[in-house]
Amino acid sequence: MANIKDVAKAAGVSPATVSAVVNDTAYVSPALRARVLEAVESLNYSPMSAARNLKRGRSQLIALAVADLHNPFFSRLVCAAEAAVSAWGYSLVVFNSDEKPENERTILARIRSLSCDGMVLVPIGSPERYQQFWRDPAAPPLVLFGREIGDNRFDAVTLDNVLAGRRTTRYLLDLGHRKIGSITGPTFLSTGAGRLQGLLQAMEERGLKPDPEHIRSGDFREEIAYSVAMEMLQRPDRPTAIYVANGLMALGTMRAVNDLGLRCPEDISIASTDTLPGVGGLRPRLTRTEHPLGEMIDQAVRFLMDRISNEDAQTQGRRVTFPPELLLGDSCAAQ
Amino acid sequence: MANIKDVAKAAGVSPATVSAVVNDTAYVSPALRARVLEAVESLNYSPMSAARNLKRGRSQLIALAVADLHNPFFSRLVCAAEAAVSAWGYSLVVFNSDEKPENERTILARIRSLSCDGMVLVPIGSPERYQQFWRDPAAPPLVLFGREIGDNRFDAVTLDNVLAGRRTTRYLLDLGHRKIGSITGPTFLSTGAGRLQGLLQAMEERGLKPDPEHIRSGDFREEIAYSVAMEMLQRPDRPTAIYVANGLMALGTMRAVNDLGLRCPEDISIASTDTLPGVGGLRPRLTRTEHPLGEMIDQAVRFLMDRISNEDAQTQGRRVTFPPELLLGDSCAAQ
DNA sequence: GAACACCAGAAAAACGTTTCGCTAGATAAC
DNA sequence: GTTATCTAGCGAAACGTTTTTCTGGTGTTC
């Protein structure tokens, strides 16, 4: 592969001049500039980023480490992140911790050694895990995404999960439902806990309290949600509406509804937070609160760019919480 | 960040020795090795990959450039590729050409300058586009994925699309269907053309020929498939079964079926190639042929690893075509 | 016409590794 | 005891850039 010296030789100039032309970093007379560009063209030269990175100390790489790439929600995140990152001239390196702490550890080490210029992390586990990462001056800027870990030193972008739960539940309450159940995510995750808390808040506002038997964790997984829903819906005092905490579980719940011969929304109303890509056309259309995913990842990347350019940046973590949007389908009926 | 010299100084050895220890590339006496490791530990040293890459001439990066990241199929591909690549100690850089040639051009340039050690490409457009890429000795090994472009110089991993179409159609024929329609992908893509061709072959085997009005392109998109299906299903001589060429369109077709008050499979049988993630629980469960995606990407990565280690490799492109699996749901009924 | 400022471009150092060739010391052989 | 053999570890070059410093030539000004 042609290197900068080859180009310099071909154009009869010094490597410095080639660099100046290629990076547009200093004035070069039109004549020379043309010769250089011609040489670049004919040799099909493109600067080797390993060398450039070594010299410049940055890599033009942004890492995205998600907790579970199998979950379509995170797939959508990858898609949005790729777009956001490449708009700033960066490339996206994708990692999947698969909810396993040891994987996450490996990934963090790898990101550091790749000298990624920044990273977006959907964290698993508790803040202690990131202590060392935080202290390490060589670590790239970090934005936590989606999940709260109770540590305000990092920048963080999240959905207002409590609001999501509250808003969705209020909608069900406004339709007249009183016996509202929920299939929640894991409560050790802020996404699971927050959405549940929002539901509880909304019901409490009306002086209601859910039947404990109607609040069950589906672990954010389709099959588990299915079996939990099967059981809940077969109870004699089954709820009239269910708030499901994510898209995969919403589908599992719908399946249970169908398998039991129940009709949605006539027999049971279903509302969720989040949905699945591509299923927009399914009937009944799901009533749900959604993440403004594009805006969220844009914000996360903006945080990173900010830290990257402002080395002297405040050490305090900034956090932005996005409100969910309530999108009406026809999976809920008045009670 | 601590560098190799700092470690060397701390351990009282030369940088060469540190390198030998870190990479386990030469014998170092136990005593020294321990001192070095201790220094590495206490300084939290990790080799800077930019420098290492510069010296070694590789980057431990594999690029995956897909044609449309919004399509859930390619999201699944990302997930599978991340796993395959990291199993070999590489990291995955993800790009989305969004079916736009100019994006693809940019991406190829970027991959080259990142010195990615290999790339998996879901190509858009015709082979000429990759000519220059092919001639460039600096370009990393390339495996084409999913789509045929009629150029046998590259390694390629594909699904046997013709077989997918044929197998699915035969299944419908065996159920007694004679008036079989299809919502196809774009026929300028091998995936679209192949699946359609498979359908035609299967029908021809039985001396049948589809009504031209029953063969329509849905462009691999949900909404287009919806409107095409709406129209096709409202024809007085509507087909009794439809073969839909991908998962997104299958959902659109199902939606049209529902919106027209038709029942599947009683009124119309639907079978597809590919499906959507997470919708495994939907009713009716889709009868479909699926990509063995994990095996396919594993094969692609193995091709790359092969080229990476065997510099002297054959210049001839190898190609592996995977047979689709037919998975029975309950979206098809006997006619 | 001389002194000076200015500027385009070149030369060279530096970034952090790996790796080749070498040295010095130990061991073994005679 | 001398020489040959071997080996652990070191020094230094090299990878391909960017960037700082330097140089030589041109133009300006009094």
Side-chain angles (χ1 to χ4, degrees), chain B residues 96-123:
Chain B
N96 179 17
S97 67
D98 217 13
E99 304 282 9
K100 300 205 184 69
E102 67 272 25
N103 288 350
E104 193 182 67
R105 205 171 350 249
T106 314
I107 290 169
L108 293 181
R110 183 146 193 96
I111 288 173
R112 203 175 69 116
S113 99
L114 277 175
S115 317
C116 289
D117 295 339
M119 64 180 293
V120 176
L121 175 69
V122 179

PDB file of all heavy atoms in Angstrom, chain B residues 96-123:
ATOM      1  N   ASN B  96     -23.564   0.922   7.716  1.00  0.00           N
ATOM      2  CA  ASN B  96     -24.857   0.780   7.057  1.00  0.00           C
ATOM      3  C   ASN B  96     -24.861   1.576   5.762  1.00  0.00           C
ATOM      4  O   ASN B  96     -24.794   2.803   5.790  1.00  0.00           O
ATOM      5  CB  ASN B  96     -25.950   1.311   8.001  1.00  0.00           C
ATOM      6  CG  ASN B  96     -27.320   1.230   7.380  1.00  0.00           C
ATOM      7  OD1 ASN B  96     -27.540   0.518   6.415  1.00  0.00           O
ATOM      8  ND2 ASN B  96     -28.250   1.965   7.949  1.00  0.00           N
ATOM      9  N   SER B  97     -24.913   0.880   4.646  1.00  0.00           N
ATOM     10  CA  SER B  97     -24.890   1.621   3.379  1.00  0.00           C
ATOM     11  C   SER B  97     -26.278   2.127   3.014  1.00  0.00           C
ATOM     12  O   SER B  97     -26.424   2.973   2.139  1.00  0.00           O
ATOM     13  CB  SER B  97     -24.334   0.754   2.255  1.00  0.00           C
ATOM     14  OG  SER B  97     -25.221  -0.314   1.982  1.00  0.00           O
ATOM     15  N   ASP B  98     -27.279   1.616   3.700  1.00  0.00           N
ATOM     16  CA  ASP B  98     -28.646   2.101   3.495  1.00  0.00           C
ATOM     17  C   ASP B  98     -29.069   1.983   2.024  1.00  0.00           C
ATOM     18  O   ASP B  98     -29.835   2.802   1.533  1.00  0.00           O
ATOM     19  CB  ASP B  98     -28.731   3.562   3.957  1.00  0.00           C
ATOM     20  CG  ASP B  98     -30.069   3.847   4.611  1.00  0.00           C
ATOM     21  OD1 ASP B  98     -30.798   2.899   4.926  1.00  0.00           O
ATOM     22  OD2 ASP B  98     -30.389   5.039   4.787  1.00  0.00           O
ATOM     23  N   GLU B  99     -28.534   0.987   1.353  1.00  0.00           N
ATOM     24  CA  GLU B  99     -28.832   0.716  -0.062  1.00  0.00           C
ATOM     25  C   GLU B  99     -28.372   1.838  -0.995  1.00  0.00           C
ATOM     26  O   GLU B  99     -28.809   1.920  -2.136  1.00  0.00           O
ATOM     27  CB  GLU B  99     -30.329   0.464  -0.278  1.00  0.00           C
ATOM     28  CG  GLU B  99     -30.919  -0.656   0.574  1.00  0.00           C
ATOM     29  CD  GLU B  99     -30.606  -2.065   0.046  1.00  0.00           C
ATOM     30  OE1 GLU B  99     -29.793  -2.174  -0.890  1.00  0.00           O
ATOM     31  OE2 GLU B  99     -31.181  -3.032   0.586  1.00  0.00           O
ATOM     32  N   LYS B 100     -27.523   2.707  -0.516  1.00  0.00           N
ATOM     33  CA  LYS B 100     -27.089   3.829  -1.356  1.00  0.00           C
ATOM     34  C   LYS B 100     -25.641   3.633  -1.789  1.00  0.00           C
ATOM     35  O   LYS B 100     -24.730   3.580  -0.965  1.00  0.00           O
ATOM     36  CB  LYS B 100     -27.205   5.147  -0.586  1.00  0.00           C
ATOM     37  CG  LYS B 100     -28.602   5.484  -0.129  1.00  0.00           C
ATOM     38  CD  LYS B 100     -28.777   6.987   0.056  1.00  0.00           C
ATOM     39  CE  LYS B 100     -30.138   7.307   0.616  1.00  0.00           C
ATOM     40  NZ  LYS B 100     -30.297   6.851   2.028  1.00  0.00           N
ATOM     41  N   PRO B 101     -25.431   3.578  -3.103  1.00  0.00           N
ATOM     42  CA  PRO B 101     -24.079   3.362  -3.635  1.00  0.00           C
ATOM     43  C   PRO B 101     -23.059   4.340  -3.100  1.00  0.00           C
ATOM     44  O   PRO B 101     -21.927   3.956  -2.784  1.00  0.00           O
ATOM     45  CB  PRO B 101     -24.272   3.544  -5.145  1.00  0.00           C
ATOM     46  CG  PRO B 101     -25.694   3.218  -5.387  1.00  0.00           C
ATOM     47  CD  PRO B 101     -26.441   3.649  -4.170  1.00  0.00           C
ATOM     48  N   GLU B 102     -23.430   5.605  -3.003  1.00  0.00           N
ATOM     49  CA  GLU B 102     -22.423   6.586  -2.545  1.00  0.00           C
ATOM     50  C   GLU B 102     -22.015   6.323  -1.101  1.00  0.00           C
ATOM     51  O   GLU B 102     -20.855   6.488  -0.732  1.00  0.00           O
ATOM     52  CB  GLU B 102     -22.916   8.023  -2.742  1.00  0.00           C
ATOM     53  CG  GLU B 102     -24.094   8.440  -1.897  1.00  0.00           C
ATOM     54  CD  GLU B 102     -25.429   8.118  -2.573  1.00  0.00           C
ATOM     55  OE1 GLU B 102     -25.467   7.197  -3.416  1.00  0.00           O
ATOM     56  OE2 GLU B 102     -26.430   8.793  -2.237  1.00  0.00           O
ATOM     57  N   ASN B 103     -22.962   5.878  -0.299  1.00  0.00           N
ATOM     58  CA  ASN B 103     -22.599   5.508   1.077  1.00  0.00           C
ATOM     59  C   ASN B 103     -21.634   4.335   1.066  1.00  0.00           C
ATOM     60  O   ASN B 103     -20.656   4.300   1.804  1.00  0.00           O
ATOM     61  CB  ASN B 103     -23.840   5.111   1.880  1.00  0.00           C
ATOM     62  CG  ASN B 103     -24.710   6.297   2.213  1.00  0.00           C
ATOM     63  OD1 ASN B 103     -24.314   7.440   2.011  1.00  0.00           O
ATOM     64  ND2 ASN B 103     -25.899   6.021   2.703  1.00  0.00           N
ATOM     65  N   GLU B 104     -21.939   3.380   0.217  1.00  0.00           N
ATOM     66  CA  GLU B 104     -21.087   2.196   0.184  1.00  0.00           C
ATOM     67  C   GLU B 104     -19.664   2.566  -0.199  1.00  0.00           C
ATOM     68  O   GLU B 104     -18.701   2.047   0.372  1.00  0.00           O
ATOM     69  CB  GLU B 104     -21.641   1.172  -0.804  1.00  0.00           C
ATOM     70  CG  GLU B 104     -20.981  -0.181  -0.639  1.00  0.00           C
ATOM     71  CD  GLU B 104     -21.495  -1.189  -1.635  1.00  0.00           C
ATOM     72  OE1 GLU B 104     -21.249  -1.028  -2.839  1.00  0.00           O
ATOM     73  OE2 GLU B 104     -22.147  -2.142  -1.214  1.00  0.00           O
ATOM     74  N   ARG B 105     -19.563   3.485  -1.137  1.00  0.00           N
ATOM     75  CA  ARG B 105     -18.234   3.914  -1.561  1.00  0.00           C
ATOM     76  C   ARG B 105     -17.473   4.512  -0.376  1.00  0.00           C
ATOM     77  O   ARG B 105     -16.328   4.150  -0.096  1.00  0.00           O
ATOM     78  CB  ARG B 105     -18.372   4.943  -2.695  1.00  0.00           C
ATOM     79  CG  ARG B 105     -17.176   5.031  -3.594  1.00  0.00           C
ATOM     80  CD  ARG B 105     -17.450   5.911  -4.823  1.00  0.00           C
ATOM     81  NE  ARG B 105     -18.849   6.280  -5.000  1.00  0.00           N
ATOM     82  CZ  ARG B 105     -19.621   5.831  -5.972  1.00  0.00           C
ATOM     83  NH1 ARG B 105     -19.150   4.978  -6.841  1.00  0.00           N
ATOM     84  NH2 ARG B 105     -20.867   6.252  -6.074  1.00  0.00           N
ATOM     85  N   THR B 106     -18.128   5.396   0.325  1.00  0.00           N
ATOM     86  CA  THR B 106     -17.510   6.008   1.504  1.00  0.00           C
ATOM     87  C   THR B 106     -17.086   4.945   2.512  1.00  0.00           C
ATOM     88  O   THR B 106     -15.989   5.000   3.081  1.00  0.00           O
ATOM     89  CB  THR B 106     -18.515   6.951   2.197  1.00  0.00           C
ATOM     90  OG1 THR B 106     -19.130   7.759   1.209  1.00  0.00           O
ATOM     91  CG2 THR B 106     -17.830   7.805   3.226  1.00  0.00           C
ATOM     92  N   ILE B 107     -17.956   4.007   2.715  1.00  0.00           N
ATOM     93  CA  ILE B 107     -17.697   2.966   3.702  1.00  0.00           C
ATOM     94  C   ILE B 107     -16.477   2.139   3.315  1.00  0.00           C
ATOM     95  O   ILE B 107     -15.616   1.843   4.142  1.00  0.00           O
ATOM     96  CB  ILE B 107     -18.937   2.070   3.860  1.00  0.00           C
ATOM     97  CG1 ILE B 107     -20.054   2.840   4.560  1.00  0.00           C
ATOM     98  CG2 ILE B 107     -18.597   0.801   4.627  1.00  0.00           C
ATOM     99  CD1 ILE B 107     -21.401   2.153   4.535  1.00  0.00           C
ATOM    100  N   LEU B 108     -16.400   1.773   2.044  1.00  0.00           N
ATOM    101  CA  LEU B 108     -15.258   0.976   1.611  1.00  0.00           C
ATOM    102  C   LEU B 108     -13.960   1.736   1.843  1.00  0.00           C
ATOM    103  O   LEU B 108     -12.969   1.173   2.325  1.00  0.00           O
ATOM    104  CB  LEU B 108     -15.396   0.604   0.126  1.00  0.00           C
ATOM    105  CG  LEU B 108     -16.541  -0.360  -0.187  1.00  0.00           C
ATOM    106  CD1 LEU B 108     -16.581  -0.677  -1.682  1.00  0.00           C
ATOM    107  CD2 LEU B 108     -16.395  -1.644   0.607  1.00  0.00           C
ATOM    108  N   ALA B 109     -13.966   3.018   1.537  1.00  0.00           N
ATOM    109  CA  ALA B 109     -12.767   3.822   1.756  1.00  0.00           C
ATOM    110  C   ALA B 109     -12.415   3.848   3.235  1.00  0.00           C
ATOM    111  O   ALA B 109     -11.248   3.707   3.621  1.00  0.00           O
ATOM    112  CB  ALA B 109     -12.997   5.245   1.239  1.00  0.00           C
ATOM    113  N   ARG B 110     -13.416   4.001   4.026  1.00  0.00           N
ATOM    114  CA  ARG B 110     -13.193   4.093   5.465  1.00  0.00           C
ATOM    115  C   ARG B 110     -12.633   2.782   6.016  1.00  0.00           C
ATOM    116  O   ARG B 110     -11.724   2.781   6.850  1.00  0.00           O
ATOM    117  CB  ARG B 110     -14.511   4.436   6.146  1.00  0.00           C
ATOM    118  CG  ARG B 110     -14.367   4.609   7.586  1.00  0.00           C
ATOM    119  CD  ARG B 110     -15.297   5.657   8.175  1.00  0.00           C
ATOM    120  NE  ARG B 110     -14.830   5.925   9.511  1.00  0.00           N
ATOM    121  CZ  ARG B 110     -14.034   6.910   9.836  1.00  0.00           C
ATOM    122  NH1 ARG B 110     -13.653   7.774   8.912  1.00  0.00           N
ATOM    123  NH2 ARG B 110     -13.621   7.072  11.062  1.00  0.00           N
ATOM    124  N   ILE B 111     -13.183   1.700   5.539  1.00  0.00           N
ATOM    125  CA  ILE B 111     -12.716   0.394   5.999  1.00  0.00           C
ATOM    126  C   ILE B 111     -11.250   0.198   5.632  1.00  0.00           C
ATOM    127  O   ILE B 111     -10.451  -0.302   6.414  1.00  0.00           O
ATOM    128  CB  ILE B 111     -13.581  -0.727   5.396  1.00  0.00           C
ATOM    129  CG1 ILE B 111     -14.952  -0.722   6.058  1.00  0.00           C
ATOM    130  CG2 ILE B 111     -12.907  -2.078   5.555  1.00  0.00           C
ATOM    131  CD1 ILE B 111     -15.943  -1.660   5.426  1.00  0.00           C
ATOM    132  N   ARG B 112     -10.929   0.637   4.443  1.00  0.00           N
ATOM    133  CA  ARG B 112      -9.549   0.499   4.006  1.00  0.00           C
ATOM    134  C   ARG B 112      -8.633   1.320   4.892  1.00  0.00           C
ATOM    135  O   ARG B 112      -7.580   0.856   5.338  1.00  0.00           O
ATOM    136  CB  ARG B 112      -9.419   0.955   2.553  1.00  0.00           C
ATOM    137  CG  ARG B 112      -8.224   0.367   1.850  1.00  0.00           C
ATOM    138  CD  ARG B 112      -8.208   0.750   0.394  1.00  0.00           C
ATOM    139  NE  ARG B 112      -7.933   2.170   0.245  1.00  0.00           N
ATOM    140  CZ  ARG B 112      -6.837   2.663  -0.360  1.00  0.00           C
ATOM    141  NH1 ARG B 112      -5.965   1.835  -0.884  1.00  0.00           N
ATOM    142  NH2 ARG B 112      -6.647   3.937  -0.460  1.00  0.00           N
ATOM    143  N   SER B 113      -9.029   2.535   5.183  1.00  0.00           N
ATOM    144  CA  SER B 113      -8.117   3.380   5.948  1.00  0.00           C
ATOM    145  C   SER B 113      -8.061   2.956   7.409  1.00  0.00           C
ATOM    146  O   SER B 113      -7.071   3.204   8.087  1.00  0.00           O
ATOM    147  CB  SER B 113      -8.497   4.854   5.797  1.00  0.00           C
ATOM    148  OG  SER B 113      -9.246   5.306   6.885  1.00  0.00           O
ATOM    149  N   LEU B 114      -9.104   2.311   7.884  1.00  0.00           N
ATOM    150  CA  LEU B 114      -9.050   1.776   9.245  1.00  0.00           C
ATOM    151  C   LEU B 114      -8.148   0.544   9.311  1.00  0.00           C
ATOM    152  O   LEU B 114      -7.893   0.025  10.388  1.00  0.00           O
ATOM    153  CB  LEU B 114     -10.448   1.377   9.728  1.00  0.00           C
ATOM    154  CG  LEU B 114     -11.368   2.461  10.297  1.00  0.00           C
ATOM    155  CD1 LEU B 114     -12.738   1.881  10.587  1.00  0.00           C
ATOM    156  CD2 LEU B 114     -10.775   3.048  11.559  1.00  0.00           C
ATOM    157  N   SER B 115      -7.675   0.100   8.170  1.00  0.00           N
ATOM    158  CA  SER B 115      -6.912  -1.147   8.092  1.00  0.00           C
ATOM    159  C   SER B 115      -7.641  -2.300   8.749  1.00  0.00           C
ATOM    160  O   SER B 115      -7.030  -3.080   9.480  1.00  0.00           O
ATOM    161  CB  SER B 115      -5.547  -1.038   8.755  1.00  0.00           C
ATOM    162  OG  SER B 115      -4.921   0.155   8.447  1.00  0.00           O
ATOM    163  N   CYS B 116      -8.939  -2.376   8.528  1.00  0.00           N
ATOM    164  CA  CYS B 116      -9.648  -3.529   9.049  1.00  0.00           C
ATOM    165  C   CYS B 116      -8.998  -4.782   8.480  1.00  0.00           C
ATOM    166  O   CYS B 116      -8.547  -4.785   7.342  1.00  0.00           O
ATOM    167  CB  CYS B 116     -11.124  -3.483   8.652  1.00  0.00           C
ATOM    168  SG  CYS B 116     -12.029  -2.190   9.519  1.00  0.00           S
ATOM    169  N   ASP B 117      -8.950  -5.822   9.279  1.00  0.00           N
ATOM    170  CA  ASP B 117      -8.271  -7.034   8.836  1.00  0.00           C
ATOM    171  C   ASP B 117      -9.134  -7.867   7.911  1.00  0.00           C
ATOM    172  O   ASP B 117      -8.641  -8.810   7.272  1.00  0.00           O
ATOM    173  CB  ASP B 117      -7.865  -7.870  10.046  1.00  0.00           C
ATOM    174  CG  ASP B 117      -6.822  -7.145  10.886  1.00  0.00           C
ATOM    175  OD1 ASP B 117      -6.164  -6.251  10.329  1.00  0.00           O
ATOM    176  OD2 ASP B 117      -6.679  -7.475  12.061  1.00  0.00           O
ATOM    177  N   GLY B 118     -10.398  -7.546   7.870  1.00  0.00           N
ATOM    178  CA  GLY B 118     -11.290  -8.269   6.979  1.00  0.00           C
ATOM    179  C   GLY B 118     -12.623  -7.580   6.963  1.00  0.00           C
ATOM    180  O   GLY B 118     -12.907  -6.746   7.823  1.00  0.00           O
ATOM    181  N   MET B 119     -13.434  -7.917   5.958  1.00  0.00           N
ATOM    182  CA  MET B 119     -14.744  -7.312   5.938  1.00  0.00           C
ATOM    183  C   MET B 119     -15.790  -8.240   5.359  1.00  0.00           C
ATOM    184  O   MET B 119     -15.534  -9.007   4.442  1.00  0.00           O
ATOM    185  CB  MET B 119     -14.741  -6.001   5.174  1.00  0.00           C
ATOM    186  CG  MET B 119     -14.410  -6.145   3.715  1.00  0.00           C
ATOM    187  SD  MET B 119     -14.420  -4.543   2.873  1.00  0.00           S
ATOM    188  CE  MET B 119     -16.137  -4.115   2.971  1.00  0.00           C
ATOM    189  N   VAL B 120     -16.960  -8.147   5.957  1.00  0.00           N
ATOM    190  CA  VAL B 120     -18.111  -8.864   5.448  1.00  0.00           C
ATOM    191  C   VAL B 120     -19.038  -7.817   4.852  1.00  0.00           C
ATOM    192  O   VAL B 120     -19.372  -6.840   5.521  1.00  0.00           O
ATOM    193  CB  VAL B 120     -18.829  -9.624   6.579  1.00  0.00           C
ATOM    194  CG1 VAL B 120     -20.080 -10.294   6.044  1.00  0.00           C
ATOM    195  CG2 VAL B 120     -17.904 -10.636   7.218  1.00  0.00           C
ATOM    196  N   LEU B 121     -19.388  -8.025   3.608  1.00  0.00           N
ATOM    197  CA  LEU B 121     -20.153  -6.996   2.911  1.00  0.00           C
ATOM    198  C   LEU B 121     -21.440  -7.574   2.334  1.00  0.00           C
ATOM    199  O   LEU B 121     -21.413  -8.581   1.630  1.00  0.00           O
ATOM    200  CB  LEU B 121     -19.308  -6.411   1.775  1.00  0.00           C
ATOM    201  CG  LEU B 121     -19.987  -5.401   0.855  1.00  0.00           C
ATOM    202  CD1 LEU B 121     -20.268  -4.104   1.591  1.00  0.00           C
ATOM    203  CD2 LEU B 121     -19.112  -5.131  -0.368  1.00  0.00           C
ATOM    204  N   VAL B 122     -22.533  -6.920   2.638  1.00  0.00           N
ATOM    205  CA  VAL B 122     -23.778  -7.205   1.940  1.00  0.00           C
ATOM    206  C   VAL B 122     -23.842  -6.179   0.817  1.00  0.00           C
ATOM    207  O   VAL B 122     -24.129  -5.012   1.055  1.00  0.00           O
ATOM    208  CB  VAL B 122     -24.991  -7.040   2.873  1.00  0.00           C
ATOM    209  CG1 VAL B 122     -26.274  -7.309   2.123  1.00  0.00           C
ATOM    210  CG2 VAL B 122     -24.866  -7.959   4.079  1.00  0.00           C
ATOM    211  N   PRO B 123     -23.514  -6.615  -0.394  1.00  0.00           N
ATOM    212  CA  PRO B 123     -23.251  -5.653  -1.461  1.00  0.00           C
ATOM    213  C   PRO B 123     -24.524  -5.071  -2.052  1.00  0.00           C
ATOM    214  O   PRO B 123     -25.568  -5.727  -2.094  1.00  0.00           O
ATOM    215  CB  PRO B 123     -22.526  -6.498  -2.505  1.00  0.00           C
ATOM    216  CG  PRO B 123     -23.079  -7.866  -2.319  1.00  0.00           C
ATOM    217  CD  PRO B 123     -23.399  -7.998  -0.851  1.00  0.00           C
TER     218      PRO B 123
END
